[in-house]
Amino acid sequence: MNRHILSIVFAACAGSVMAETPVYLDPKAPIEARVEDALSRMTLEEKVALCHAQSKFSSSGVPRLGIPEIWMSDGPHGVRAEINWNDWGHARWTNDSVTAFPALTALAATWNPEMSAIYGKNVGEEARYREKDVLLGPGVNIYRTPLNGRNFEYMGEDPYLASVMVVPYVQELQKNGVAASVKHFALNNQEQWRGNINVDVSDRALYEIYLPAFKAAVQQGGAWTIMGAYNKIWNQHCCHNKRLLEDILRGEWGFDGVVVTDWGGAHDTREAALNGLDIEMGSFTNGLTSESEFTYNDYFLAKPFLELIRKGEVPASLADDKARRILRLIFRTAMNTDKPFGSLHSPEHYAAAKAIGDESIVLLKNNGILPLDPSAGKRVLVVGDNATRRLSDGGGSSELKVKDYVSPLDAMREVFGADCVDFARGYAAGRPMYAHEEVIPESVQDSLRAEALAKAAQADVVVYFGGLNKNAYQDCESTDRRDYDLPFGQNELIEALVKANPNIIIANITGNAYAMPWADHVPAILHASYLGTMGGASLADAVSGRVNPSGKLPYSIPVRLQDNGAHAFGVECYPGVESESGDVLFGACAPQQRYEEDILVGYRWHDTKKIPARYAFGHGLSYTTFAYGKPVLSAKEMNADSGSLTVTVPVTNTGKRAGAEVVQLYVGDDKASVLRPVKELKGFEKIALAPGETRDVTFTVTPDMLAFFDADAHAWRSEPGRFTLYIGGSSDNVPAKIAINLK
Ligand code: BGC
């Protein structure tokens, strides 16, 4: 028996064998009392054991005290299939298939916080049923470039939109006794070199653009865990970055939860010990069978951490701090006796996925061809690989093993009648694979295209379901897209289809903006993200008009890649510059990157630089139309320290169908001493209107909505003077404008 075990045995013998229920096991006792009680019973070794993985997706509890392990799962669009204990292989369980919910970028496109609450509740029930304690999501990294392979896992380019949308997800998820793990904190805004790129960003851009959604998730959502990002900021990895974790997250925001690494995101014991990391996951596992000893003991926050404490090089109180936070998490989740039981792929979950998908589809353009009336008996040709491809596969850690999947083709046949709907693939996109691409012979692509063109000429109407997919170099973890175009020759295919049959509806599925050189040649464009289990049904319903589209773009769609701010400055700005050669993912090279566009991300760039986007942030049409009346202020002026005022605008449904409009409020400082974007989103409300109905929408404007982050003073500051309130249905269509004065 080693000394460690002996000391535990002596400690146990010293207590009474028949003791009363200890406080930490009393579910009625306050959590903090339970935490302190449990902590007081633990050895140093037991505290350190909490701080690192014990398998690919779990970390230890305190078995001696009956304190359970923590089980985690990806995230964020459903609960991932079980992964092997010690490697990334699928464990091949038969009871772990789930509902795939729409991608977070679709959730953001609903612009409806109620949808976010529904999302969190339903995905939380599945996580609970699968006995997970932590769901690794949601992600709120800001959409900086359309090339980022993981934009589909995030909530778009605007910090206010992402902040409003993340909060209900976190709150409702956690009501299931399942912690959110808001990721990836912070500035993991691209996949290329994500493991060690060093991002240089101004404090102003950090506070105005990149941090607000994390802050909202922590302070308003009450997130119980945060996942550190892979990359570096200020030359220090985010997973043990002092300024990020200690100064900002804990110091400024008062976070009382657990910081988890991204898998393999820890690199240094001393930094991890000192700088606020709590649980280290995924660092290295060489396979239990080939190890002489339990590999996880070699993690930075395992034996090496214990040794630093024993040598007195770091204080033992650090282990107490970490254990305290981890125990708090365990009491909130694994040992939460109040949590519900959860449920899996229930009809309610499918209905929730469908409702979110329905509200997320963005109608970019329509000359009147949409909606297509199913009773008209038209011969419809469906074209495109995404019409049948299961888009819940692939993409990296957000992959899902779905119980059911409704493809667009199935749903189109259901809605329009199997006899009326024919299909031609048009192009081949290769098998779903992670980190690899399949090269398709030209001859195959040629014959698929020829088939589609021949059939298109015979059809009354063509509905095209193309876009990106979840393979490497598309919407996929670990790699960024190589360029801004649709892959597999789709631009040429679409142009040829238009010639064969001008009645073509583009209904592309992507997690990103992409070039649309054919946009002016097609009569209608629907834009959808990955919509999960019920995605095809949402799309077919949008085509038929059973669903009236009400989604709005959560990111701009520039005409050309170089019209995006991150691509206007050369490689230093994106993707960064390698300083040495080496393994680009986790190796020695340390690429450097500077965010030159600074605060001018997305529409802030397009507006301020006067570079119109093809489809602007916030854009999205409906099968009805809306008119904005004159805005009315409660007051023309407000005081900088205490004031507030309201602005009210009447919005009317001027068409013949019921529909929903997202009324957006932007604020701009007309004259400022520092560079300010023309306008910034500060409020929105989605309203449903019957034909002819008018509703007043009122926004309260407060001085903090007019402020910018003054990096020198490290404070938010607003300058007196004139501001313009812009209200409308997209960032480039704000018919209701009115000026106010800040005193
Ligand atoms: C991803 C995380 C994910 C983790 C566990 C990492 O590679 O970046 O988002 O949660 O793996 O699968």
Side-chain angles (χ1 to χ4, degrees):
M1 216 182 263
N2 67 27
R3 275 213 339 262
H4 168 50
I5 295 176
L6 272 179
S7 68
I8 294 173
V9 172
F10 287 139
C13 292
S16 156
V17 180
M18 295 290 289
E20 283 173 20
T21 307
V23 173
Y24 78 94
L25 286 177
D26 176 1
K28 289 196 199 68
I31 279 198
E32 294 311 311
R34 297 176 71 187
V35 167
E36 293 310 320
D37 182 48
L39 197 65
S40 71
R41 295 164 193 270
M42 288 165 61
T43 64
L44 177 63
E45 290 77 4
E46 285 171 332
K47 293 171 193 167
V48 170
L50 293 181
C51 302
H52 57 87
Q54 56 152 15
S55 79
K56 207 76 191 154
F57 278 94
S58 70
S59 60
S60 322
V62 193
R64 178 178 67 85
L65 297 177
I67 295 176
E69 302 156 346
I70 296 176
W71 278 90
M72 314 187 189
S73 172
D74 287 300
H77 307 143
V79 190
R80 193 180 188 182
E82 296 300 326
I83 301 293
N84 286 339
W85 186 269
N86 207 37
D87 64 44
W88 286 104
H90 292 132
R92 295 175 168 270
W93 289 16
T94 52
N95 59 354
D96 57 353
S97 45
V98 296
T99 309
F101 293 89
L104 290 191
T105 190
L107 176 62
T110 70
W111 290 60
N112 185 351
E114 272 174 42
M115 286 295 140
S116 175
I118 289 173
Y119 199 127
K121 173 179 188 292
N122 284 273
V123 78
E125 286 171 359
E126 299 224 344
R128 168 66 190 101
Y129 189 90
R130 291 267 312 275
E131 303 201 334
K132 302 303 176 193
D133 305 305
V134 180
L135 188 71
L136 303 171
V140 285
N141 293 98
I142 288 292
Y143 184 122
R144 175 176 180 254
T145 153
L147 297 192
N148 179 12
R150 277 186 105 172
N151 278 336
F152 69 101
E153 287 189 64
Y154 306 137
M155 299 202 197
E157 73 185 27
D158 182 76
Y160 180 77
L161 176 65
S163 300
V164 171
M165 294 302 289
V166 71
V167 169
Y169 181 120
V170 171
Q171 289 171 333
E172 291 299 317
L173 165 68
Q174 293 190 164
K175 285 184 187 161
N176 290 284
V178 177
S181 196
V182 185
K183 64 195 192 182
H184 306 88
F185 190 59
L187 300 181
N188 184 179
N189 302 316
Q190 68 188 53
E191 288 300 285
Q192 183 162 346
W193 299 322
R194 66 175 178 172
N196 47 7
I197 193 163
N198 182 38
V199 180
D200 179 8
V201 67
S202 74
D203 268 19
R204 187 165 168 212
L206 188 70
Y207 277 79
E208 289 189 19
I209 306 291
Y210 296 104
L211 293 184
F214 287 102
K215 183 179 181 192
V218 166
Q219 292 194 329
Q220 296 167 47
W224 291 335
T225 86
I226 288 280
M227 184 190 289
Y230 278 134
N231 49 286
K232 294 180 186 169
I233 317 182
W234 312 296
N235 289 308
Q236 195 169 47
H237 276 102
C238 291
C239 288
H240 29 77
N241 189 296
K242 162 144 189 338
R243 190 165 166 221
L244 214 45
L245 302 181
E246 287 291 311
D247 300 352
I248 297 175
L249 181 65
R250 296 225 162 82
E252 294 177 19
W253 302 349
F255 178 64
D256 73 352
V258 163
V259 175
V260 182
T261 60
D262 199 340
W263 269 230
H267 300 269
D268 184 274
T269 296
R270 190 179 297 271
E271 282 187 9
L274 290 168
N275 295 349
L277 176 64
D278 299 312
I279 302 183
E280 175 191 1
M281 297 298 296
S283 291
F284 40 77
T285 47
N286 300 334
L288 280 175
T289 45
S290 60
E291 295 296 310
S292 54
E293 219 201 319
F294 193 54
T295 316
Y296 300 93
N297 288 343
D298 294 328
Y299 270 35
F300 296 101
L301 277 187
K303 252 179 9 202
F305 179 32
L306 199 56
E307 275 158 24
L308 278 193
I309 296 174
R310 285 200 182 123
K311 283 196 234 142
E313 292 185 25
V314 300
S317 61
L318 289 175
D320 287 338
D321 293 344
K322 296 180 198 298
R324 195 173 271 124
R325 295 190 285 257
I326 296 166
L327 287 167
R328 191 178 292 136
L329 175 65
I330 293 175
F331 291 125
R332 285 168 164 168
T333 58
M335 289 182 83
N336 173 349
T337 50
D338 281 340
K339 63 187 174 186
F341 292 109
S343 48
L344 199 63
H345 43 64
S346 68
E348 289 77 13
H349 294 177
Y350 285 9
K354 171 77 169 40
I356 298 161
D358 287 354
E359 281 208 26
S360 75
I361 295 172
V362 183
L363 178 63
L364 293 178
K365 170 178 182 178
N366 187 16
N367 74 351
I369 190 175
L370 279 172
L372 280 187
D373 179 2
S375 67
K378 294 217 166 115
R379 287 164 303 155
V380 179
L381 176 71
V382 167
V383 180
D385 190 75
N386 282 347
T388 56
R389 191 187 194 84
R390 202 167 58 186
L391 289 161
S392 46
D393 292 348
S397 59
S398 64
E399 63 172 11
L400 290 170
K401 178 168 149 190
V402 285
K403 175 151 180 296
D404 296 293
Y405 186 79
V406 180
S407 73
L409 181 60
D410 289 342
M412 286 293 290
R413 290 198 159 132
E414 177 79 30
V415 173
F416 288 86
D419 294 346
C420 292
V421 178
D422 195 5
F423 173 62
R425 188 170 299 279
Y427 66 91
R431 281 167 297 163
M433 284 190 293
Y434 180 57
H436 297 286
E437 291 171 291
E438 196 180 3
V439 179
I440 312 289
E442 246 337 283
S443 57
V444 173
Q445 301 289 27
D446 288 348
S447 68
L448 289 172
R449 178 179 313 190
E451 182 204 14
L453 294 177
K455 285 188 173 183
Q458 303 303 316
D460 294 320
V461 58
V462 177
V463 184
Y464 182 88
F465 293 100
L468 300 176
N469 64 33
K470 301 278 195 70
N471 279 12
Y473 303 106
Q474 298 195 48
D475 285 324
C476 188
E477 187 173 333
S478 299
T479 49
D480 280 352
R481 292 165 68 197
R482 293 194 179 104
D483 57 50
Y484 188 47
D485 280 320
L486 286 180
F488 318 115
Q490 290 182 78
N491 284 340
E492 296 74 23
L493 174 61
I494 292 172
E495 296 282 15
L497 283 166
V498 177
K499 290 207 179 87
N501 190 334
N503 294 325
I504 180 168
I505 292 152
I506 305 296
N508 277 344
I509 303 171
T510 82
N512 254 317
Y514 59 90
M516 300 181 185
W518 33 260
D520 292 338
H521 312 154
V522 300
I525 308 173
L526 286 164
H527 186 75
S529 185
Y530 304 102
L531 302 185
T533 292
M534 300 300 292
S538 290
L539 276 158
D541 282 352
V543 171
S544 75
R546 283 193 195 171
V547 163
N548 188 352
S550 65
K552 297 277 186 175
L553 286 176
Y555 49 78
S556 316
I557 300 187
V559 177
R560 308 167 309 166
L561 186 63
Q562 59 268 37
D563 293 350
N564 164 290
H567 293 274
F569 296 93
V571 291
E572 286 82 8
C573 189
Y574 178 88
V577 180
E578 284 179 82
S579 57
E580 301 164 35
S581 59
D583 168 6
V584 292
L585 202 54
F586 291 112
C589 82
Q592 303 290 323
Q593 182 180 38
R594 165 101 196 135
Y595 285 9
E596 296 288 351
E597 77 285 10
D598 202 50
I599 53 165
L600 297 182
V601 174
Y603 67 93
R604 289 166 165 80
W605 175 267
H606 288 284
D607 281 359
T608 309
K609 299 291 175 184
K610 300 195 171 51
I611 303 170
R614 187 181 291 283
Y615 295 109
F617 173 79
H619 171 73
L621 305 172
S622 162
Y623 296 148
T624 187
T625 44
F626 302 98
Y628 286 74
K630 254 183 86 156
V632 177
L633 293 170
S634 63
K636 287 200 173 111
E637 285 197 330
M638 70 176 161
N639 281 323
D641 41 2
S642 60
S644 79
L645 55 81
T646 63
V647 59
T648 300
V649 63
V651 182
T652 307
N653 179 345
T654 48
K656 294 198 173 62
R657 283 173 180 263
E661 168 70 327
V662 179
V663 182
Q664 303 162 36
L665 166 73
Y666 297 83
V667 175
D669 190 345
D670 291 358
K671 194 157 161 267
S673 68
V674 293
L675 171 76
R676 301 213 54 184
V678 170
K679 60 183 183 311
E680 301 181 85
L681 184 73
K682 293 295 170 182
F684 61 88
E685 191 180 336
K686 192 168 198 172
I687 53 165
L689 291 175
E693 185 183 351
T694 297
R695 252 182 66 186
D696 282 347
V697 175
T698 298
F699 296 104
T700 300
V701 181
T702 50
D704 56 300
M705 289 159 67
L706 314 181
F708 67 93
F709 188 77
D710 180 342
D712 295 335
H714 196 75
W716 291 88
R717 192 153 70 79
S718 42
E719 295 176 327
R722 219 174 86 128
F723 289 78
T724 301
L725 308 181
Y726 305 83
I727 301 170
S730 79
S731 65
D732 68 347
N733 181 15
V734 278
K737 278 189 217 121
I738 196 158
I740 58 168
N741 195 42
L742 183 72
K743 284 201 287 189

